[in-house]
Amino acid sequence: MNGSQAMVKTLLAGSVDVCFANPGTSEMHFVAALDQATEMRCVLGLFEGVVTGAADGYYRMAGKPAATLLHLGPGLGNGLANLHNARKARSGIINVIGQHALDHIHNDAPLNSDVEGVARPMSNWVRTIVSSTHAAMDTAEAISQAKSAPGRIASLILPANCAWESADAGQYSFAAAHPPAAVLEETVDEVAALLAKPGTAKRVCLLLGGTALLESHTWLAGQIAAKTGCQLLSEPRSPRLQRGRGRVNVRPIPFAVDAAVATLKDADHIVLIGSTVPVAFFAYPGKPRLTVPANCHVHTLATPGHDLHAALQALCDATGAGGTTPAFLSKDLTMPVYEDGFPTPATIGAVLARALPENAIVVDEAVTSGRQLADSVPYFAPHDCIDITGGAIGFGLPAAVGAAVAAPGRRVVALVGDGSAMYTIQALWSMAREGLDVTVVIFDNRSYRILRGELNNMGGPAPGVNASRMLDLDGPELDWVSMAKAHGVPGTTADTLSGFEKALNHANATPGPSLIALRI
Amino acid sequence: MNGSQAMVKTLLAGSVDVCFANPGTSEMHFVAALDQATEMRCVLGLFEGVVTGAADGYYRMAGKPAATLLHLGPGLGNGLANLHNARKARSGIINVIGQHALDHIHNDAPLNSDVEGVARPMSNWVRTIVSSTHAAMDTAEAISQAKSAPGRIASLILPANCAWESADAGQYSFAAAHPPAAVLEETVDEVAALLAKPGTAKRVCLLLGGTALLESHTWLAGQIAAKTGCQLLSEPRSPRLQRGRGRVNVRPIPFAVDAAVATLKDADHIVLIGSTVPVAFFAYPGKPRLTVPANCHVHTLATPGHDLHAALQALCDATGAGGTTPAFLSKDLTMPVYEDGFPTPATIGAVLARALPENAIVVDEAVTSGRQLADSVPYFAPHDCIDITGGAIGFGLPAAVGAAVAAPGRRVVALVGDGSAMYTIQALWSMAREGLDVTVVIFDNRSYRILRGELNNMGGPAPGVNASRMLDLDGPELDWVSMAKAHGVPGTTADTLSGFEKALNHANATPGPSLIALRI
C-alpha cells in the first residue's frame, strides 16, 4: 500500500465517499488509488472553481464533507474564490492538493509555487504531508477538521513522493471532530428575561445565522417570536435556508446598507443565534460600516460553534413558547396569479411560486434580480435555498452540481445572473456528464447590473465609454442556448412570464440538466 | 482629485495605458476615474484568469506592463494561475486589487479575506495603500517594479477609502526601474576560453532563456555556434521566441524527463544565458530531478536580470564569430507537402507551415499535441511564439487577447488543447468584444491526453472507471462550434488536413476572431 492508497482508505473509512476533482500530473498516483476504490464517486470539473464550489454545495446538502483533488498552487488558486464562499458558509471540505516531490520543491520547476501560502487565506487548517507513513494520519486529522462544528476548510498538501512511497495499512485512528458547544443556562435565562420585560420584546431582534435557518430551528424561533412578540431576522446570506409554504419564513437583512439600517433601526437589542454582528457588505463614503443602531445592545445567545437547536429549544422552553403556533408561518396562501408580459425581477417570483417543485433545492446567485424575490418566497413550495455566503460570484452553478450529487431525486433550481454564470460556466458540463437534475435559470440582463447600481450610488455622472465597457455585457450578447449546447445541456430562452413558467415546468419534468435563459 | 484619479494619472504618465479589468463594487471609484481617462484602453474580461493572462500576453508582445483591475481576495484568487505563468515568464504587471475601506476591514464583511496573503505567492512585490495621499506614489513604485529587468508582478492593494478620499494632484515622482545588469568582461572571457579549447566546444551547450530567444539574440548565438561548434538549446518553455524561416531556430529542451536527459547527455558544460539550471518538469519515481548529466559543469554567463543582448554580443566578439553565417539558420526550405487525411499531431505541422501568416503571433498551449510541432517550426513563416512558461493551463486564450491588444495588425494564432481551453474559455468573448484578429485552433482530442500519458508512465494497469472519468472529456463531447457562437465568435470544425488548411486560411483572412475545432 502506498501513501495515496492509505489516504483513500482513510477517506472512505471516514465516510468521505465523493471526490470532486481536477487532477494533474503530480496527482496521478492519487488518481490511481481512487481508480481502485470503486466506492468513491469521482466527479470531474473542467475548472477548479467548479470543484471547490461543488464541494461547498455538497456539504450544505449532505451535511458531511467531500474531498477535492487539485493540482498544485495554480489549481488551488483557481479554486480559492469558492473556498472563500465555503469558508464563510462554514462548510467542511477536505482539499487534497498535489505538490512536487519533497526533494524536487527546491529545484523550482515551472509549476513550483508556495502552495501553503496559496492555501492559507481561504483555509482553516493547512498541512503538508512530510512522509507517506504520515499520509493516513494527516488525512484522518483533515477529516476531523472538516467534520467539526462548524465545518472547516482543511487543506492537505500531498507531495508526489508521499503519494507513491510505502505506507502502513490501517495504522491510523480518527481524531475526534470538534462537537458543537452547549449554551450556558445563565445565557438562556438572560435572554429569556429580556424577552419577558414589559414593552421590551418587540424591540428585541433574534438574528439567526448558519444552521439556525433549518426548518427545525426556525420553527422554534417562530414560536418564541409568537409568544414574546420579538422580531426575527436572518443574516443577509445564509448557507442553507429551509423555507416556503408551511414553514417559518425568516426575512434576511437586506444587502443594501440603507435598507439594512432601516430594517434594524427599531432594535434596542439584537440577540445573535449562530450569527455575527451585522455589518455593511461594502463601505461607502458617509455611510455606516455597522448596520446596528448606535444604542443597540448586542447579545450572544449562541455562536456558530454552538448547538443552535439546543439553544433555541432552551429559549423556547424558558419563554414558555412550546406549543405556540409560530409567527411568520406561511400557510393557506392563495397561489399568486400574474398578468403575462415581459419578466422583471419583481414579477418572476409569482412564476417561481407556481412552478417550483416540492422539496426543490434553490441555489440563489441571481444577485441584482434575486433580492426582489424575497416577497414571493413564502408562496414557494417548501424547499432548501443555498446562498452565496461569501459574495464571491461564480458560486451558483458549481454549488448546484454539488447539491445535486448530495441529494439525488431532488430537483435543483439554480437562479444565476448572467455575469455570475460566466465565472464558472464549465459547471454545465459536469451537470451533463453526471446526469444531474438541475434546472439552470440565467437572469439575462446583459450587464453587471449590480455594479451600474453601485456606480450610481456614488452620485457621479452617468457612465461614459470606459465605465460602460466595464459594466455592460451586450457587445456581443452571450448566446445562452448555444452556451448550453456547447456543454451538452439542452437550453431554451423565455421572454414572457408564461413562457418562463412553461419552460420551468418542462425543465423540471425532464431528467438531467436544462438551461433557461430568461430575458429581463 | 481623489486617490483613484491620482493613480490613473500616474499610470498614464508612466505610459501604462491598457487596463484589463474585472471590477466589483469596491472598485467603483477606480472605474469612475478610468471613465474620465479616455487615453486608457479598458478591456473587460468576464473572468479574472482572462484579465491576468491578457496582461501577461500584452507584456510579452508590447514589452511594457499593463494594469489589471481585480475585485478583492476572491477576484485576485481567480487570477492567480495566470499570474503564476506571468511570474515564471518574468513579465511585468501592475495589479490594482480592490480592498474594503481601511476602517471596514476589521468588521470582516462577507467578502473580507487576507488580500495580501492571496497576492504574495504569485507576486514579486505587494503593497497595501494606507492613505489616498500615498496612492500616486505607491502606483509610481508599482510601475517601477513592473518595468524592472526582468519584469515583476507588482500587486497594489487599494482600500476603497484611499480610492475616494482626496489626493494631491501630481505630487509624485517615478522611482527608477531596475535596469538590466552588465555582464563582467572576465565572465565573457572565461566562456570564450572554454569555447576555444580544442575538442571542448562541441560538448558545450549554450542554454538560452528569457529575452535571449528574440531574433536579435538568437542570431548572435547562432553565429557563436557556427564559429565554435558549440550546441544551442532553449529552456523547455520560453516567454517569447522569434523563430521560423530566415531565423535561427533554437530547439527547446523536451518536456519529458527521459527525452530531456537524452538531449543533454553529451554536455560537459552548460552555459546559462538568461536561463536557469535545467530541471525535470515533474518528479517521477526512480527518475532524475535535474536533467543535467552528473559530471556536467554549469556556468552562468548571464542571469535573466542581465543585459542578454550585450552578453551575447560580447561573447560573439570574444569568439570572433561576427560576420559568420549562423548555425541553425532556417532558409531556402521547400514548403512541405502532405498527404491528405485525418490530422495528427505529427502531420498538422505541415499545414501550419503552409498557412501561418508572415509575422504572426503563435500562442502555444497545445500541450500534448504542441510538442510534436517542433520539427515543423523552421518551415513556419517568421513569427513570435509565446509559450506557457509556468505550466498552469488556461493561459493560451487569455494570452492571445493580450497579444492582440499589444500588436494590432498582426494575426494571433492560438493553438490550444481542448482541456486547456476550458479553464478560461471566457476569453473568446473578450476577443469578439474587442474585434481582435485571433485565430483560435482547438486541438479537440476529447481527453486530458497528457495525463493519460502520465498515468501510463507510472507503469500500472490501464485506467479503470474512476481514472477514466477524471481523464476523458467525451461524455458529453464539448461542442466547439456552439461554444464559439455562444461567445460571439464564428466557429468551424476540421477533420482533415486539407480542411484544416482551408479553415486556417479563411480565418486568417477574416478580420476579428474565429475558432477552428481540429478533430485529432
Side-chain angles (χ1 to χ4, degrees), chain A residues 22 35 103 422-423 426 464, chain B residues 22 35 289 422-423 426 464:
Chain A
N22 187 272
D35 204 25
D103 68 349
M422 286 308 297
Y423 286 76
Q426 305 91 339
Chain B
N22 187 272
D35 205 24
R289 307 290 185 257
M422 285 308 296
Y423 286 77
Q426 306 90 340

Side-chain angles (χ1 to χ4, degrees), chain B residues 374-400:
Chain B
D375 289 338
S376 313
V377 163
Y379 295 85
F380 288 14
H383 66 280
D384 286 78
C385 173
I386 64 183
D387 204 345
I388 174 173
T389 45
I393 59 178
F395 159 80
L397 299 179

Side-chain angles (χ1 to χ4, degrees), chain B residues 7-389:
Chain B
M7 290 175 72
V8 171
K9 188 176 147 84
T10 306
L11 288 169
L12 288 169
S15 77
V16 179
D17 53 10
V18 172
C19 180
F20 298 100
N22 187 272
T25 296
S26 39
E27 292 77 58
M28 280 302 105
H29 288 86
F30 197 84
V31 166
L34 290 171
D35 205 24
Q36 293 160 359
T38 49
E39 318 91 285
M40 183 71 80
R41 179 168 181 186
C42 297
V43 178
L44 177 62
L46 296 184
F47 173 71
E48 294 87 347
V50 177
V51 167
T52 53
D56 184 12
Y58 177 89
Y59 178 89
R60 298 198 203 182
M61 292 311 303
K64 67 173 192 171
T68 69
L69 180 59
L70 302 167
H71 184 46
L72 300 164
L76 172 59
N78 282 337
L80 283 186
N82 273 331
L83 288 180
H84 170 86
N85 286 319
R87 190 170 67 93
K88 296 288 180 168
R90 302 189 179 86
S91 294
I93 298 177
I94 299 144
N95 297 311
V96 178
I97 305 148
Q99 167 62 301
H100 286 302
L102 289 169
D103 68 349
H104 194 46
I105 294 173
H106 70 108
N107 290 327
D108 199 24
L111 267 163
N112 189 50
S113 67
D114 176 7
V115 184
E116 288 191 1
V118 178
R120 208 161 279 122
M122 306 310 187
S123 301
N124 301 92
W125 180 91
V126 177
R127 178 171 297 171
T128 298
I129 298 173
V130 297
S131 158
S132 56
T133 61
H134 292 206
M137 187 175 64
D138 288 344
T139 304
E141 186 167 340
I143 295 170
S144 300
Q145 291 285 343
K147 285 190 173 176
S148 286
R152 298 176 194 169
I153 310 298
S155 292
L156 189 57
I157 298 164
L158 173 60
N161 65 302
C162 300
W164 77 57
E165 288 169 358
S166 292
D168 292 334
Q171 293 302 306
Y172 54 86
S173 63
F174 285 96
H178 198 118
V183 170
L184 291 179
E185 212 173 306
E186 290 82 346
T187 311
V188 175
D189 291 345
E190 194 186 306
V191 175
L194 188 67
L195 291 169
K197 258 191 219 164
T200 298
K202 71 175 197 301
R203 299 179 72 88
V204 174
C205 171
L206 306 187
L207 181 60
L208 309 183
T211 54
L213 279 306
L214 296 178
E215 180 186 15
S216 54
H217 297 57
T218 54
W219 190 268
L220 296 169
Q223 289 184 312
I224 297 164
K227 176 76 178 186
T228 67
C230 72
Q231 303 301 313
L232 286 189
L233 285 170
S234 68
E235 292 192 306
R237 302 288 189 190
S238 291
R240 181 178 176 187
L241 304 103
Q242 292 184 317
R243 58 186 199 181
R245 294 195 296 272
R247 291 177 172 170
V248 172
N249 284 269
V250 181
R251 285 189 80 101
I253 297 175
F255 167 89
V257 60
D258 295 336
V261 166
T263 300
L264 292 170
K265 73 176 174 6
D266 294 328
D268 290 337
H269 300 271
I270 289 178
V271 179
L272 305 179
I273 305 175
S275 55
T276 55
V277 181
V279 303
F281 215 90
F282 291 106
Y284 302 84
K287 292 190 181 179
R289 307 290 185 257
L290 297 178
T291 52
V292 177
N295 297 321
C296 177
H297 300 271
V298 178
H299 312 257
T300 301
L301 174 64
T303 71
H306 279 100
D307 183 334
L308 302 184
H309 189 269
L312 283 160
Q313 184 67 63
L315 188 60
C316 193
D317 294 346
T319 53
T324 317
T325 299
F328 308 106
L329 182 61
S330 164
K331 57 171 193 174
D332 304 331
L333 293 172
T334 311
M335 188 60 70
V337 291
Y338 57 82
E339 199 174 334
D340 200 12
F342 188 73
T344 68
T347 55
I348 54 184
V351 176
L352 286 166
R354 296 167 62 92
L356 192 72
E358 196 87 15
N359 206 26
I361 300 165
V362 172
V363 180
D364 184 3
E365 196 185 22
V367 193
T368 324
S369 311
R371 295 184 208 157
Q372 296 187 49
L373 295 179
D375 289 338
S376 313
V377 163
Y379 295 85
F380 288 14
H383 66 280
D384 286 78
C385 173
I386 64 183
D387 204 345
I388 174 173
T389 45

Side-chain angles (χ1 to χ4, degrees), chain A residues 365 394 397 416-426 442 480, chain B residues 426:
Chain A
E365 197 185 22
L397 299 179
V416 187
D418 49 1
S420 298
M422 286 308 297
Y423 286 76
T424 47
I425 190 66
Q426 305 91 339
I442 302 288
W480 287 102
Chain B
Q426 306 90 340

Side-chain angles (χ1 to χ4, degrees), chain A residues 26-389:
Chain A
S26 39
E27 292 78 57
M28 280 303 106
H29 287 86
F30 197 84
V31 166
L34 290 172
D35 204 25
Q36 293 160 357
T38 50
E39 319 89 285
M40 183 72 80
R41 180 168 180 185
C42 296
V43 178
L44 177 62
L46 297 184
F47 173 71
E48 294 87 347
V50 177
V51 167
T52 54
D56 184 13
Y58 177 88
Y59 178 87
R60 298 198 203 183
M61 293 310 303
K64 67 173 191 171
T68 69
L69 181 58
L70 302 167
H71 184 45
L72 300 165
L76 172 59
N78 282 336
L80 283 187
N82 274 332
L83 287 180
H84 170 86
N85 287 320
R87 190 170 66 94
K88 296 287 180 169
R90 302 190 178 87
S91 294
I93 297 177
I94 299 143
N95 297 311
V96 177
I97 305 148
Q99 167 62 302
H100 285 302
L102 289 169
D103 68 349
H104 195 47
I105 294 173
H106 71 108
N107 290 327
D108 199 25
L111 266 162
N112 189 50
S113 67
D114 176 6
V115 184
E116 288 191 1
V118 177
R120 210 161 278 121
M122 308 308 187
S123 301
N124 301 93
W125 180 91
V126 177
R127 177 171 297 171
T128 298
I129 299 172
V130 297
S131 159
S132 56
T133 60
H134 293 204
M137 187 176 64
D138 288 344
T139 304
E141 186 166 341
I143 295 170
S144 300
Q145 291 286 341
K147 285 190 171 176
S148 287
R152 299 177 193 168
I153 310 299
S155 291
L156 189 57
I157 299 165
L158 173 59
N161 65 303
C162 300
W164 77 55
E165 288 169 359
S166 292
D168 292 332
Q171 294 302 306
Y172 54 86
S173 63
F174 285 96
H178 197 119
V183 170
L184 291 179
E185 211 173 305
E186 290 82 346
T187 309
V188 175
D189 291 344
E190 193 186 307
V191 175
L194 189 67
L195 291 169
K197 259 192 219 164
T200 298
K202 69 179 197 301
R203 299 179 73 88
V204 174
C205 172
L206 306 186
L207 180 61
L208 308 183
T211 54
L213 279 306
L214 296 178
E215 181 187 15
S216 54
H217 297 57
T218 54
W219 189 268
L220 296 169
Q223 289 184 311
I224 297 164
K227 176 76 179 187
T228 67
C230 72
Q231 304 300 314
L232 286 188
L233 285 170
S234 68
E235 292 192 307
R237 302 287 189 191
S238 292
R240 181 177 175 187
L241 303 103
Q242 291 185 319
R243 58 185 199 181
R245 293 196 297 273
R247 291 176 173 173
V248 173
N249 283 269
V250 181
R251 285 189 80 100
I253 297 175
F255 167 88
V257 60
D258 296 336
V261 167
T263 299
L264 292 170
K265 73 176 175 7
D266 295 328
D268 290 337
H269 300 271
I270 290 178
V271 178
L272 304 178
I273 304 174
S275 55
T276 56
V277 181
V279 303
F281 215 90
F282 292 106
Y284 301 85
K287 293 190 180 179
R289 307 288 185 258
L290 298 177
T291 52
V292 177
N295 297 319
C296 177
H297 300 272
V298 178
H299 312 257
T300 301
L301 175 63
T303 71
H306 279 102
D307 183 334
L308 302 185
H309 189 268
L312 283 161
Q313 185 67 64
L315 188 60
C316 194
D317 294 345
T319 54
T324 315
T325 299
F328 308 106
L329 182 61
S330 165
K331 57 171 193 174
D332 305 329
L333 294 171
T334 312
M335 187 61 70
V337 291
Y338 57 81
E339 200 174 335
D340 202 11
F342 188 72
T344 68
T347 56
I348 54 183
V351 176
L352 287 166
R354 297 166 61 92
L356 191 72
E358 195 87 15
N359 206 26
I361 300 165
V362 172
V363 180
D364 184 2
E365 197 185 22
V367 194
T368 324
S369 312
R371 295 185 208 158
Q372 297 186 47
L373 295 178
D375 290 337
S376 314
V377 163
Y379 295 86
F380 288 14
H383 66 280
D384 286 79
C385 173
I386 63 182
D387 204 344
I388 173 172
T389 45

